[in-house]
Amino acid sequence: MFHFLKQASLSRGSWFLLLLSCVVFEGAGLYFQHVMKLEPCVMCIYERVAILGIALAAVFAMLAPRLLLVRLLALAIGLFSAVKGLLLALQHTDYQLNPAPWNQCPLMVEFPTTLPLNKWLPQMFEAYGSCSELQWSFLGFAMPQWLIVIFAAYILVLGLVLISQVKPTRSRQRTLFK
């Protein structure tokens, strides 16, 4: 398995699949927001940024997947974003399952002044919903609970790919006429 993961991490196609999965999840989030008219909350926006961090890691790795340093840096960025996203989704789930006046998310997103995403792309990064409000569910699970599953899957896959990087690549030698 680790040999397969190592070989897969050396190709642009694998990183493209990671990028494609992020684009699908971002597209689903924008569909929920703009077509289904669900109001994104602050935690939704932060979780969206975490998915974009994983997408950025995939794009970075696609530049030069055969270079170990590039792969390791992309895996570090992707794992950091996935772990941060998982922690955000857990917090968001807590806001929904245990609503209380002292257990609320901030009213407005807080991006650094050097990267005001909510000012640059308000259609994508401006929050105007409540974190504790349950607006959508599928199979009995709310959106942040599904995001827990998604981020955990990203962590599992990226973690296994990271472990596979220490496995040396086998050189293919002929053994027929040795």
Side-chain angles (χ1 to χ4, degrees):
M1 176 178 78
F2 287 118
H3 175 69
F4 170 77
L5 290 174
K6 172 87 179 258
Q7 289 303 116
S9 72
L10 296 173
S11 74
R12 284 188 172 92
S14 301
W15 295 103
F16 178 74
L17 285 176
L18 179 64
L19 175 63
L20 185 63
S21 72
C22 293
V23 168
V24 166
F25 289 131
E26 288 294 339
L30 292 172
Y31 176 81
F32 286 134
Q33 178 180 353
H34 295 291
V35 177
M36 293 179 65
K37 302 296 184 198
L38 302 180
E39 298 177 343
C41 66
V42 172
M43 298 303 282
C44 296
I45 299 300
Y46 291 158
E47 291 155 355
R48 189 175 286 177
V49 171
I51 293 279
L52 285 176
I54 298 169
L56 177 70
V59 168
F60 185 71
M62 284 174 54
L63 296 175
R66 295 220 169 258
L67 294 175
L68 178 64
L69 183 62
V70 171
R71 282 194 319 272
L72 291 177
L73 190 56
L75 286 167
I77 293 168
L79 272 171
F80 174 78
S81 297
V83 168
K84 187 66 176 172
L86 178 64
L87 294 174
L88 289 166
L90 288 168
Q91 182 69 40
H92 192 177
T93 300
D94 182 52
Y95 289 148
Q96 285 189 344
L97 296 180
N98 303 309
W102 56 85
N103 194 22
Q104 297 289 324
C105 65
L107 295 176
M108 297 183 344
V109 290
E110 299 172 7
F111 290 115
T113 55
T114 56
L115 193 66
L117 295 175
N118 58 329
K119 303 289 188 249
W120 294 344
L121 286 169
Q123 305 88 347
M124 189 169 179
F125 296 109
E126 194 59 59
Y128 43 89
S130 170
C131 291
S132 59
E133 183 182 345
L134 180 64
Q135 299 183 50
W136 177 89
S137 68
F138 179 68
L139 298 176
F141 295 106
M143 199 172 305
Q145 293 169 323
W146 282 110
L147 284 170
I148 290 171
V149 172
I150 291 166
F151 284 121
Y154 277 135
I155 291 169
L156 177 67
V157 170
L158 291 171
L160 289 173
V161 171
L162 179 64
I163 293 169
S164 76
Q165 299 306 303
V166 298
K167 183 166 182 57
T169 55
R170 283 187 250 163
S171 59
R172 304 226 179 222
Q173 295 179 353
R174 294 186 337 187
T175 58
L176 184 60
F177 298 109
K178 212 170 186 187

